[in-house]
Amino acid sequence: IKNAGVKQADPNFKLAMGGLLTTASMLDYLSQMKLWFDYNRTDGRFAVDIINVHLGPDTYNPEDSGMVKRIQEIRNWINQNAPGTELWISEFEIPMGDCEIEGTDNHENETYQLRYAQRVARTYLAAIGAGVDRMTKFQLRDEGEGVYYNSGLVTQKGKWSKKLAWYYVSCMTNALRDTYFAADMSEPDDPVKRYFFINQCTGSSVYCLWLPTNSGQEIPDYQLAVPQTAQCRLTVPGTYAEGVTTALEVKDGTVTLPVSETPVFVTISSDKQQIINGRGRYIRPAQISTKADFSAECYDLPAEPETAALKPFYRMFDEPDSMPEYIYGDTEALPLPETAVKASDTVCYVKLDRPYVLDDFGVYDTYGTGSIAVYDARTDRLLWSSGLGSYMSRSLELRVDSAPTDYLKIVKGGGEMNELALYGYPAPDTLRGDVNADGVFDSRDLAALTDWLLTRSSAPAAPSAGDLCADGILNAADLAAMKRELAG
């Protein structure tokens, strides 16, 4: 149709095929599509931007399944006939018949849950290695009953308890964030699968390592070759959404780590990185006051304050057990907050027991009205605000990590709400790059380091924070690294 269609409306619009289930005849189907385009389009272009299939492993080891071969066949067809077209898998599921025990609910079957988590993560990896661009698990949650009773990463709607597979996928997503698949570095005489990824933002690299077996095998002291001067850290799935990370010591150009059928991730960078585990901890205020200088009544929260102006803010924090302990914590067994916060157009100041980096805020809002805002009281920077509106629900919102602070200002607008939750983690003793020690890494640190390198008049307030190359020397190399990081 002349001058019509989605590409006329938006040249960047991506047109995706409906998900194809019967992949055995898919190449014939795609070839018929191409033939039509060749004869009916003046540009002869394969007009679909995304080839979309439903495809999963047909064996217990995803790496050995027919899925891998079929992806490679489709990718080869794309390279020859429709270069630039993306390949998506919009549904996949995992065969689990070997782990089922008659009479046992598989939610209580630890072997089932471990194998399921391993196979889900390895299916993603095997598909990425074979040439898939994007991939979606079927499905996020269990059905309450029937054939899809065990198919979710979390339990059924309204419960949402996270299974081991959820943590495996979340860890993988975090470890491979901003990376692209560079190469399969596996070797014939090495039983370990080694996938190599490169971070497009930082230039660091990530090895993903696992054993492609299904019998509980493990190599406790696997050695991976890395640059002699590299800084290495290991991330494994754990109780935190982002996994659990530890530093690896480089000896004679290798790091030693345990490798099993669970995929783990070794991140390699040129400079030392701050390791933080558990970014989403619940933070309860140490003191609250209606005065910025705490000259009015100060309250430390063990019992209800006497001052009427403080009571609404006490009510925001009086039921911590009603909010998840961690940012991604389960909410199934949590009680519902009972008390209503009816404060309107009032301000409260909050002291924390130590400096924290805040990365999430949450409310339980029964009423769906009003507003609330949280500021860093030392800099008056807005950290988070909400128009509420999350009627009868917990609403958690991820934010970019704040500068470290131990002092907040809370502004409550009109309307009612229930509980407010602050999440984050204890601030590192030294914030990377913060050479002027103001709690923020920004252009002022670049100016301070530049001035010192040029004049040597006075050392920065926190010189160790500027040693981005981690070589014990503050020099132009650190200045160059600081410029790169600030430029993103």
Side-chain angles (χ1 to χ4, degrees):
I1 304 174
K2 188 178 180 180
N3 297 323
V6 292
K7 295 288 187 178
Q8 291 291 335
D10 180 0
N12 297 317
F13 185 95
K14 290 186 177 182
L15 184 64
M17 294 171 56
L20 298 177
L21 178 60
T22 307
T23 59
S25 58
M26 180 177 295
L27 298 187
D28 289 338
Y29 188 87
L30 295 174
S31 295
Q32 291 285 345
M33 290 178 63
K34 183 179 187 307
L35 183 64
W36 194 96
F37 292 142
D38 287 343
Y39 277 88
N40 291 280
R41 291 182 61 93
T42 55
D43 59 4
R45 178 179 174 272
F46 190 81
V48 173
D49 301 293
I50 299 163
I51 294 174
N52 175 22
V53 300
H54 297 176
L55 180 62
D58 51 10
T59 59
Y60 299 132
N61 286 353
E63 304 83 2
D64 302 331
S65 69
M67 175 194 73
V68 172
K69 181 180 179 182
R70 186 52 46 84
I71 292 170
Q72 292 170 341
E73 290 173 349
I74 300 172
R75 175 52 65 188
N76 289 336
W77 186 94
I78 290 173
N79 293 341
Q80 295 173 17
N81 299 280
T85 305
E86 297 181 33
L87 174 57
W88 292 14
I89 294 178
S90 56
E91 286 189 18
F92 76 91
E93 187 49 296
I94 310 297
M96 292 297 298
D98 62 325
C99 297
E100 295 174 346
I101 301 174
E102 187 173 352
T104 300
D105 187 326
N106 286 318
H107 292 97
E108 309 300 325
N109 182 341
E110 293 184 4
T111 299
Y112 185 103
Q113 293 300 326
L114 173 61
R115 290 278 187 263
Y116 191 72
Q118 291 171 338
R119 291 174 190 176
V120 167
R122 286 163 52 179
T123 297
Y124 274 109
L125 292 164
I128 291 169
V132 164
D133 294 294
R134 290 179 182 266
M135 196 168 183
T136 302
K137 170 74 172 63
F138 182 88
Q139 55 189 343
L140 171 63
R141 64 172 175 85
D142 291 345
E143 294 288 355
E145 58 184 11
V147 68
Y148 299 123
Y149 177 63
N150 283 300
S151 66
L153 301 180
V154 300
T155 56
Q156 67 195 70
K157 183 178 180 179
K159 302 294 185 181
W160 307 109
S161 296
K162 294 163 182 63
K163 301 181 187 179
L164 196 59
W166 188 94
Y167 288 96
Y168 274 50
V169 173
S170 182
C171 173
M172 178 175 62
T173 301
N174 183 73
L176 298 179
R177 188 181 307 278
D178 298 323
T179 68
Y180 64 90
F181 176 71
D184 181 352
M185 305 288 284
S186 309
E187 297 179 357
D189 57 349
D190 187 340
V192 173
K193 269 286 188 183
R194 292 188 297 166
Y195 276 10
F196 186 64
F197 298 81
I198 296 176
N199 191 300
Q200 302 172 85
C201 297
T202 66
S204 60
S205 54
V206 181
Y207 273 103
C208 180
L209 309 173
W210 76 96
L211 288 169
T213 52
N214 191 42
S215 55
Q217 293 186 35
E218 181 176 351
I219 300 176
D221 51 0
Y222 182 77
Q223 292 192 326
L224 176 68
V226 298
Q228 181 64 45
T229 59
Q231 298 290 329
C232 301
R233 54 194 187 276
L234 171 66
T235 301
V236 303
T239 54
Y240 298 125
E242 64 271 24
V244 178
T245 300
T246 55
L248 290 174
E249 183 181 1
V250 179
K251 288 186 177 180
D252 300 324
T254 63
V255 291
T256 303
L257 66 148
V259 176
S260 69
E261 292 163 355
T262 293
V264 298
F265 306 89
V266 177
T267 302
I268 302 169
S269 56
S270 59
D271 53 351
K272 190 174 183 179
Q273 301 292 316
Q274 181 78 35
I275 293 177
I276 300 165
N277 288 310
R279 290 177 174 270
R281 308 179 195 181
Y282 181 91
I283 302 169
R284 198 177 189 196
Q287 286 188 314
I288 58 176
S289 177
T290 56
K291 296 293 185 180
D293 60 359
F294 280 69
S295 58
E297 180 189 12
C298 300
Y299 183 65
D300 58 5
L301 299 180
E304 186 171 335
E306 297 179 0
T307 303
L310 267 184
K311 287 183 180 180
F313 295 99
Y314 159 75
R315 294 295 185 194
M316 289 184 186
F317 301 103
D318 69 335
E319 299 173 273
D321 292 341
S322 67
M323 299 299 285
E325 181 179 357
Y326 295 112
I327 190 170
Y328 298 105
D330 292 329
T331 59
E332 177 181 357
L334 296 180
L336 299 182
E338 297 176 354
T339 51
V341 176
K342 299 182 180 181
S344 180
D345 300 317
T346 56
V347 178
C348 170
Y349 293 88
V350 171
K351 284 185 178 179
L352 307 176
D353 62 351
R354 57 168 294 169
Y356 287 90
V357 175
L358 300 177
D359 57 17
D360 184 66
F361 299 85
V363 291
Y364 188 92
D365 179 18
T366 301
Y367 307 96
T369 61
S371 65
I372 191 168
V374 180
Y375 296 82
D376 183 338
R378 298 197 181 280
T379 62
D380 208 35
R381 292 183 178 181
L382 177 66
L383 302 180
W384 170 79
S385 64
S386 173
L388 301 177
S390 58
Y391 178 69
M392 291 295 291
S393 69
R394 295 178 179 85
S395 176
L396 302 181
E397 184 176 352
L398 286 165
R399 306 290 290 182
V400 175
D401 287 6
S402 75
T405 185
D406 59 355
Y407 184 34
L408 303 173
K409 180 175 73 173
I410 300 176
V411 180
K412 179 68 181 70
E416 299 183 31
M417 57 167 280
N418 301 98
E419 203 73 4
L420 171 65
L422 310 172
Y423 297 92
Y425 55 91
D429 293 335
T430 302
L431 179 64
R432 177 180 168 80
D434 182 22
V435 295
N436 66 358
D438 66 350
V440 184
F441 175 37
D442 57 18
S443 59
R444 289 171 290 188
D445 298 297
L446 183 64
L449 182 55
T450 302
D451 181 67
W452 183 76
L453 291 174
L454 290 174
T455 66
R456 303 288 172 144
S457 56
S458 60
S464 61
D467 184 19
L468 301 191
C469 296
D471 57 2
I473 305 170
L474 202 58
N475 56 23
D478 300 300
L479 184 66
M482 184 177 289
K483 289 180 179 178
R484 286 196 302 271
E485 292 201 14
L486 287 173

